[in-house]
Amino acid sequence: VELVAPARIREEAAGKGEGEEAEEAWMREQTREWALGMLVDEVEVNLLVEMRRELPVRLVPRRRTPLLRWKHPTSGDTRGYQSGFKVGGLDDESALQEKAGGESQSSRNLRTLNLQGTKIYISSPRPPHQSLQTHPLCQMKQPICLSPTYNKQGPSERPQHNAFHPPNRVSRSPSMAPPPHRLEYLQTGPASQSQRTAISLMPVSYWFLLAPIIALDGYVSMGDIQKWLPWTSIFRIWQAGYTIFEEMKSDSFFLCSPSGSMLLTCDVHLIKQVLGRAHDFHAPVEVLSLYNLYGPTLAASEGEQWRLYRKISTPFFNGRTHSRVWKESLEKAERISAQWSKGGTRIADVKGEVMSKLNLRVIAKIFYNQELEYDRNDATKDVAPSGHSLTFSEAINAVLSNLATLFGLPEWLLAKSPFESHQHAYLGYLEWRQYMHEMRDSVQSQLEEAKRKEEPCFLESLVISSNAESKQEQSQSLTEAEVLGNMFFYVMAGFDTTSTTLSFVFLLLALHPPCQALLQQEVDQVLGSRSLSEWNADDHLQQLLNGYLGAVISETLRLYHPVAWYARKSIRQTTVTDSKGASHLIPADTVLMIDVAAMGRHPQYWPSENTGTGPNQTSPALDFNPSRWLKSETQEDLGKGAAFPFSSGHRMCPGKRFAEVEMCAMIARFFSQFSLRLEPDDNDVELAELAGHSPAWVEQKTKERAADVLFKGLGFGHGIYPKSHTPFEIIPRSDKSQMVE
């Protein structure tokens, strides 16, 4: 690749009259100086560093020399594979020369190509990084052919493609990073069993990207993240859905970097093996250590440590606890219902205003036996207790919304940082730690009474397991850091995921009034006119979960699962089988990212029923249809086996039933009394009045805006959440004039 001299320099060189060789040398030097200046003066920084003005280059044929030798897996034939390049779909120098006008190979006047805005991809058999030559994929004992796809016509035939090639030509845009190399490797063996797996090569360590990308939350829109390339798919995993795998033409593909390999997959058959084979796949604790802010946690542990945490916490999740969850959820929801019954309630931020606070009150009572204070005149407003500057919910939300910042920066730096965001994160960190110390000390002061309980609460179980007598009685006990770490993790896991799911339930039902009406019809049939005290978990819970209400929860988790991916790590080299029956080798220490969002939108399991047109037809919100979960046994039902909303296997979420009971109680209570209606935008209302549009036009525009927000307006951190808000009205069902149809 050579620089192309601008017209000014070429004219000056021609006017010197010093001979062709001297003029060319002078022109090269002047062009270099000009380019160096351009690479300083014409560079600007938006999201990425990019050029304001064009810096043209040209491609010059080089002498063809063997660069890569490879051995055919069956014949043993060894041959050199010579370098070539591919521009705009043309392969090799001869094709490029033909495109340039048929000039000879020695000619240096090939067609000038401008890289800015040009669809161009140059492929080469040379790996982009030397470290990849020792990559585990290249070092496996079972032979792997990192070579061009073998031409079955015979070993003497030249391979048809380079080892590294793109699936199609790549179009550059100002907000896109340079594309990574892509290759296919051929797993050798009997010809009938050979399988190809897509691989994408990353130029940097993938974990280097984790904290910065999460920390960009609030500054970079999901629309911008969507433009980034496949190796950043881990950070835009919900937004991309199944499209990543569709583009790669595979339900599984590797991301390779100097730090190791990662396998992204939405193949259900493969996923069941990964989640079910505890001896081959463990949790990647180095990744999940993000949650160890206050001490070791269940999530970021394995082996004996994990078994100890699970042994202490599992007995708490039982039938009697779930009965208490049902009762507390109804009681907490009733406080807000009494306020909403007065009418005129408008909700702008459903998670921040309602669900986070409501869910946290249930968690605090059941897990820690704490009754959180709230304003008696406003049931949605929390009150900070004496000695605290943040409420319980404000403290934990400050920690969760700044998780990457707290994980990535040392405490002493946060304490001295002049940035407001750092100060808020640090205040939340300290406040939540103080709350945990106070709750633990309260249990410690009444430890003997807690020990006599037949079923202590979750916090009591942790504290009992850490006291001095327990340390003498047990071979293993919890340290103070382990108590605090798991207190934080269980609140985060139970509170954030459930409140996010309930928020999306409300938003999706507001967007789909017919679904809302079907839900209310079922709630009325099951619960009738019974008073709240007559609602019984034993009689009503399973009936609701097996019906339309349960289908609403399942459909919401399919489309808007708060956890966009599950992570596992292969602890040894092993083999898995994909949904087509083909076997694939997984190297040891490969991180496997199970793409929950892609599974939920996989066209094979969940055919889209959205046939609309326009800019929002890709919004998953428009594909919301709970009835798909109520198919009869005679109907084809591929989807239910492709859903793992609470994970699976030995690390399945222990709070699954807890969350189901809580969500069921709250949804039933609210929709037995209220309906939701999207609030139209003032601009649409004004335009309708001026242009004479009907109310149906305003309703359609309101729906389109809501669907757009539920696609582009999501925040991303350790999970997804509704960052841009969709306002709606709470309408008492007794007000028949305003009820949804």
Side-chain angles (χ1 to χ4, degrees):
V1 180
E2 289 188 352
L3 292 167
V4 176
R8 173 182 57 81
I9 294 179
R10 291 200 302 269
E11 291 172 359
E12 290 183 21
K16 286 185 174 294
E18 298 179 357
E20 183 177 349
E21 185 174 341
E23 289 176 3
E24 185 175 350
W26 181 88
M27 186 168 62
R28 279 201 303 268
E29 180 62 26
Q30 291 299 311
T31 301
R32 180 177 181 275
E33 293 297 323
W34 167 77
L36 288 173
M38 287 275 287
L39 287 169
V40 174
D41 300 333
E42 299 300 330
V43 171
E44 64 180 2
V45 179
N46 293 316
L47 176 61
L48 301 175
V49 179
E50 53 195 25
M51 297 287 291
R52 277 192 297 259
R53 291 177 54 196
E54 300 172 352
L55 185 61
V57 298
R58 63 184 175 192
L59 301 178
V60 180
R62 55 176 294 186
R63 185 169 57 89
R64 297 165 61 85
T65 55
L67 294 180
L68 175 69
R69 300 196 68 83
W70 63 287
K71 187 175 183 180
H72 185 258
T74 55
S75 69
D77 176 66
T78 302
R79 54 196 160 102
Y81 181 56
Q82 296 176 323
S83 67
F85 43 77
K86 189 174 185 178
V87 180
L90 299 176
D91 201 7
D92 298 332
E93 297 158 23
S94 58
L96 183 60
Q97 291 165 14
E98 182 179 346
K99 181 177 180 180
E103 295 170 322
S104 65
Q105 179 173 335
S106 60
S107 173
R108 301 178 61 85
N109 297 319
L110 287 177
R111 177 177 175 180
T112 298
L113 296 176
N114 186 336
L115 293 182
Q116 184 174 18
T118 302
K119 292 183 178 179
I120 177 172
Y121 196 104
I122 302 175
S123 61
S124 166
R126 186 188 297 277
H129 290 275
Q130 294 297 322
S131 57
L132 288 172
Q133 295 177 1
T134 58
H135 193 278
L137 284 172
C138 303
Q139 297 296 315
M140 285 189 281
K141 293 180 181 179
Q142 181 172 349
I144 295 293
C145 180
L146 285 171
S147 69
T149 303
Y150 178 61
N151 185 352
K152 294 182 179 179
Q153 295 178 1
S156 61
E157 296 293 330
R158 180 188 171 101
Q160 299 298 308
H161 303 285
N162 287 356
F164 298 88
H165 61 89
N168 47 47
R169 288 179 290 180
V170 179
S171 176
R172 293 286 307 278
S173 69
S175 60
M176 289 178 64
H181 290 270
R182 180 175 182 243
L183 59 86
E184 291 180 345
Y185 74 79
L186 181 65
Q187 179 177 327
T188 62
S192 61
Q193 298 179 9
S194 296
Q195 300 294 333
R196 274 180 269 168
T197 302
I199 301 179
S200 182
L201 298 183
M202 292 174 57
V204 295
S205 171
Y206 48 73
W207 299 125
F208 172 77
L209 297 169
L210 179 59
I213 294 294
I214 294 177
L216 287 174
D217 182 24
Y219 303 96
V220 183
S221 70
M222 287 299 287
D224 289 333
I225 293 298
Q226 188 183 13
K227 298 174 184 176
W228 295 359
L229 288 154
W231 52 265
T232 61
S233 58
I234 181 177
F235 311 117
R236 60 180 180 93
I237 208 164
W238 182 88
Q239 188 80 7
Y242 185 70
T243 58
I244 301 173
F245 300 93
E246 191 173 33
E247 292 169 3
M248 298 295 287
K249 296 179 173 57
S250 173
D251 282 354
S252 303
F253 65 91
F254 277 98
L255 294 174
C256 301
S257 80
S259 61
S261 58
M262 178 193 294
L263 176 68
L264 264 71
T265 183
C266 66
D267 187 308
V268 171
H269 187 72
L270 188 153
I271 290 168
K272 289 179 179 179
Q273 298 167 67
V274 172
L275 296 179
R277 286 160 50 178
H279 297 294
D280 292 328
F281 301 99
H282 285 185
V285 293
E286 71 276 16
V287 180
L288 301 175
S289 60
L290 181 74
Y291 301 131
N292 292 352
L293 285 180
Y294 297 95
T297 64
L298 177 76
S301 61
E302 265 296 348
E304 290 300 322
Q305 185 185 37
W306 178 85
R307 282 187 281 273
L308 173 63
Y309 297 160
R310 193 75 178 229
K311 179 181 177 181
I312 293 170
S313 62
T314 297
F316 169 71
F317 297 98
N318 56 51
R320 273 176 281 200
T321 296
H322 298 149
S323 295
R324 291 181 57 216
V325 173
W326 173 267
K327 179 181 177 181
E328 288 294 332
S329 299
L330 291 176
E331 180 183 323
K332 302 299 188 283
E334 181 60 22
R335 295 175 184 173
I336 293 179
S337 295
Q339 182 172 313
W340 286 356
S341 297
K342 300 174 184 178
T345 303
R346 175 186 181 273
I347 303 296
D349 177 7
V350 63
K351 184 177 181 182
E353 294 178 30
V354 182
M355 294 307 172
S356 289
K357 298 172 183 178
L358 188 59
N359 181 256
L360 200 54
R361 291 171 190 175
V362 175
I363 293 284
K365 182 63 177 178
I366 301 297
F367 274 65
Y368 305 127
N369 198 27
Q370 296 286 315
E371 194 71 58
L372 301 186
E373 299 182 38
Y374 65 96
D375 191 328
R376 300 300 169 178
N377 297 320
D378 185 354
T380 62
K381 185 177 180 181
D382 291 334
V383 176
S386 176
H388 287 272
S389 56
L390 297 179
T391 66
F392 200 83
S393 62
E394 288 172 341
I396 187 63
N397 277 304
V399 173
L400 294 181
S401 61
N402 294 282
L403 198 59
T405 299
L406 293 169
F407 176 77
L409 298 178
E411 188 174 338
W412 64 265
L413 181 58
L414 284 172
K416 298 179 179 180
S417 174
F419 299 108
E420 184 177 351
S421 61
H422 290 175
Q423 293 170 1
H424 180 66
Y426 186 58
L427 176 61
Y429 173 80
L430 295 178
E431 285 280 307
W432 180 247
R433 184 169 63 184
Q434 183 180 342
Y435 274 115
M436 290 195 296
H437 277 292
E438 290 171 353
M439 291 187 292
R440 184 207 57 190
D441 293 345
S442 176
V443 171
Q444 189 72 44
S445 65
Q446 303 176 21
L447 188 59
E448 293 304 318
E449 181 182 345
K451 289 180 178 180
R452 290 192 294 269
K453 291 183 179 180
E454 183 179 351
E455 290 189 3
C457 74
F458 174 75
L459 177 57
E460 290 169 339
S461 298
L462 292 179
V463 175
I464 290 171
S465 298
S466 67
N467 76 89
E469 293 181 7
S470 295
K471 292 179 180 179
Q472 297 174 1
E473 296 168 0
Q474 303 180 42
S475 58
Q476 289 181 301
S477 59
L478 300 184
T479 64
E480 179 180 349
E482 289 174 317
V483 171
L484 296 178
N486 283 288
M487 285 178 68
F488 165 69
F489 173 72
Y490 271 90
V491 167
M492 180 201 71
F495 145 71
D496 196 49
T497 54
T498 305
S499 61
T500 297
T501 302
L502 282 170
S503 299
F504 284 120
V505 166
F506 270 54
L507 293 170
L508 290 168
L509 289 174
L511 180 64
H512 296 275
C515 297
Q516 189 178 159
L518 287 174
L519 171 64
Q520 291 170 330
Q521 180 181 344
E522 180 185 81
V523 170
D524 292 345
Q525 289 174 350
V526 174
L527 299 170
S529 59
R530 295 179 179 87
S531 64
L532 196 63
S533 60
E534 296 177 292
W535 289 23
N536 188 288
D538 295 334
D539 298 333
H540 305 131
L541 174 63
Q542 203 56 46
Q543 191 175 353
L544 291 168
L545 288 177
N546 289 339
Y548 198 81
L549 190 152
V552 167
I553 295 174
S554 296
E555 183 73 346
T556 302
L557 287 171
R558 176 181 79 87
L559 295 173
Y560 290 88
H561 198 290
V563 179
W565 45 264
Y566 305 140
R568 293 292 186 270
K569 186 174 183 178
S570 58
I571 60 173
R572 60 175 63 89
Q573 182 173 295
T574 187
T575 303
V576 294
T577 305
D578 65 21
S579 56
K580 297 179 181 179
S583 296
H584 299 274
L585 203 63
I586 305 296
D589 297 322
T590 297
V591 175
L592 296 96
M593 305 303 295
I594 298 170
D595 192 334
V596 180
M599 271 197 301
R601 285 180 259 167
H602 197 303
Q604 179 181 344
Y605 306 109
W606 311 103
S608 176
E609 299 177 14
N610 171 32
T611 57
T613 58
N616 301 319
Q617 73 268 23
T618 55
S619 176
L622 297 178
D623 200 36
F624 180 73
N625 178 20
S627 296
R628 74 172 78 236
W629 295 86
L630 302 177
K631 293 178 180 178
S632 65
E633 294 181 0
T634 58
Q635 290 178 292
E636 186 178 14
D637 188 11
L638 295 173
K640 290 184 180 180
F644 307 95
F646 296 92
S647 189
S648 184
H650 74 294
R651 293 187 74 102
M652 183 176 182
C653 175
K656 175 180 181 291
R657 191 63 172 177
F658 188 112
E660 290 176 337
V661 172
E662 182 184 357
M663 289 190 289
C664 180
M666 290 186 179
I667 293 171
R669 185 54 187 158
F670 285 131
F671 286 92
S672 69
Q673 291 184 283
F674 307 102
S675 297
L676 311 180
R677 184 173 63 188
L678 292 174
E679 186 176 82
D681 186 86
D682 291 340
N683 293 328
D684 292 338
V685 174
E686 183 178 352
L687 180 59
E689 293 176 353
L690 294 173
H693 293 307
S694 66
W697 182 89
V698 176
E699 183 179 342
Q700 180 61 29
K701 294 296 291 184
T702 302
K703 183 175 180 179
E704 290 176 2
R705 286 183 184 275
D708 190 55
V709 169
L710 284 170
F711 181 53
K712 299 176 182 176
L714 299 191
F716 59 102
H718 62 285
I720 66 167
Y721 63 93
K723 184 170 68 174
S724 297
H725 306 312
T726 305
F728 57 84
E729 300 172 80
I730 304 290
I731 303 172
R733 293 182 65 190
S734 57
D735 188 350
K736 303 294 184 181
S737 64
Q738 300 190 65
M739 283 178 58
V740 295
E741 297 179 358

